[in-house]
Amino acid sequence: MVKPLNSALMWFRRDLRCTDNAALHRALTTAAKVWCVFVFDTDILDPLPRVDRRVEFIHASLLELDVELSRANPGVAVGLIVRHGQAVDEIAALAQRLQVDAVIASHDDDPAAIARDVAVRERLAEQQ
């Protein structure tokens, strides 16, 4: 079966795992080449204390995820790409640099996440 997309960017947010991850499954089954990214979003991080156990947990989870991606998913182009900055800027810049056909992410019902996702979609549309 020919995959309809040449390439996709899988944007990890809350679901930092390979198993039972609908967005990752969708990316791997619809794109011939998949890049995976996580953004330490400064809009979320800036108000937090300099040392925060939640951020340390996320960092440790990302290290495990990188190993999982490399081991279990041959369709992933490289290991996990990690960026630090505003998600709107980082996702749009990476999508443009990699020239992906789609950005795929899990749905997030948090109001701030919905607003962020709208901004990302708008930025991606401007780049086309």
Side-chain angles (χ1 to χ4, degrees):
M1 179 179 148
V2 175
K3 295 185 178 187
L5 300 175
N6 182 44
S7 61
L9 181 62
M10 167 51 201
W11 179 14
F12 281 92
R13 284 115 55 106
R14 294 179 189 260
D15 297 336
L16 301 179
R17 63 184 188 280
C18 289
T19 55
D20 192 32
N21 187 318
L24 179 60
H25 176 75
R26 180 170 174 238
L28 291 170
T29 57
T30 60
K33 186 183 294 183
V34 177
W35 283 275
C36 297
V37 65
F38 178 85
V39 178
F40 280 102
D41 193 337
T42 53
D43 289 337
I44 297 169
L45 294 178
D46 285 351
L48 298 177
R50 183 96 173 120
V51 176
D52 189 285
R53 296 180 94 192
R54 296 167 293 187
V55 177
E56 292 171 4
F57 176 78
I58 291 169
H59 183 264
S61 298
L62 292 174
L63 293 173
E64 291 176 22
L65 177 60
D66 185 45
V67 170
E68 277 186 75
L69 287 169
S70 299
R71 199 179 295 157
N73 294 292
V76 173
V78 294
L80 184 65
I81 300 167
V82 178
R83 295 286 186 257
H84 185 269
Q86 290 185 308
V88 172
D89 297 333
E90 296 298 326
I91 295 300
L94 192 56
Q96 186 171 39
R97 186 172 144 249
L98 297 173
Q99 299 182 341
V100 297
D101 299 317
V103 174
I104 299 171
S106 297
H107 180 74
D108 192 334
D109 288 321
D110 179 76
I114 292 170
R116 177 204 56 216
D117 291 353
V118 167
V120 170
R121 278 193 296 277
E122 288 172 354
R123 180 76 63 87
L124 291 169
E126 290 170 3
Q127 292 178 177
Q128 291 182 352

